[in-house]
Amino acid sequence: MVELRDAKQDDAHAIATVLVRSWRAAYRGLLPDEVLAGLSVSDREQSWSDVLTTRPPRTRAVVATIADTIVGFAATGPPLVPADRSDATLGDLYALYLTPGVWRRGIGTQLHAAALDRLRSCGFTHAGLWVLDGNERALRFYLRHGWTDTGRTQLDRGPGGTELHERRLRHDLSGW
């Protein structure tokens, strides 16, 4: 039985663990092996602890649990890319990750719905997200859930300065 709830500060370690495990599985072949091997739960834990402590305005994080164990999370808030910040009605889905052992069980769909609900509750009427170019599994998931490709791309920097080529997707939140 999957339960969804808002993330708490003491969830930072579990969120970081899910993130690292998910990246290592989902991005194999898309990012260099040494980058994936070098991902650090403790580094990610500190970042998530900071985010969950400070709670920037209009940001939310939700976790999925099975038997009180966190198996996934999603995070949302105002856009991080400066070009998108001028639109106060636009919110971003920053992250949606699951432990690989629970992929394809519908938990991602539940987390996705909860994340969109969090965006709506913060007053956003449409959403954006950046997806790693070549991540066909994620792209199929998002397109199946009503996202559309905007045609925009960006070059972001990931762990160790790794170049991340990303595509921008968009979702209307007002029709729900």
Side-chain angles (χ1 to χ4, degrees):
M1 176 88 165
V2 176
E3 293 187 20
L4 301 178
R5 64 169 172 77
D6 290 325
K8 305 175 291 196
Q9 183 184 2
D10 62 356
D11 294 330
H13 180 78
I15 289 171
T17 301
V18 167
L19 181 83
V20 168
R21 287 181 182 162
S22 184
W23 270 55
R24 286 182 176 157
Y27 299 154
R28 182 152 322 282
L30 297 174
L31 297 179
D33 289 344
E34 61 272 11
V35 169
L36 296 174
L39 293 175
S40 164
V41 170
S42 62
D43 288 348
R44 300 294 176 276
E45 180 179 1
Q46 185 58 56
S47 297
W48 278 100
S49 181
D50 293 346
V51 167
L52 294 171
T53 300
T54 60
R55 300 256 185 205
R58 299 173 80 191
T59 62
R60 302 289 184 270
V62 60
V63 295
T65 65
I66 297 176
D68 294 325
T69 298
I70 292 175
V71 296
F73 74 95
T76 61
L80 300 175
V81 174
D84 296 323
R85 287 191 197 135
S86 62
D87 184 352
T89 66
L90 174 64
D92 269 8
L93 174 58
Y94 300 145
L96 193 160
Y97 292 105
L98 295 169
T99 299
V102 301
W103 288 357
R104 306 205 47 82
R105 291 191 194 173
I107 299 169
T109 296
Q110 292 177 54
L111 266 176
H112 178 261
L116 296 188
D117 285 344
R118 284 356 181 239
L119 286 166
R120 281 186 209 90
S121 75
C122 289
F124 298 114
T125 59
H126 55 286
L129 68 80
W130 292 100
V131 63
L132 186 63
D133 199 27
N135 188 350
E136 296 302 322
R137 176 186 292 125
L139 187 58
R140 282 190 308 272
F141 174 87
Y142 291 122
L143 294 176
R144 194 170 56 247
H145 287 86
W147 293 81
T148 57
D149 195 328
T150 67
R152 281 179 60 199
T153 61
Q154 76 172 3
L155 178 62
D156 197 5
R157 295 287 172 183
T162 304
E163 289 187 352
L164 303 176
H165 296 270
E166 299 172 327
R167 298 165 61 178
R168 184 73 164 163
L169 304 183
R170 186 181 197 290
H171 195 294
D172 181 10
L173 299 174
S174 62
W176 293 60

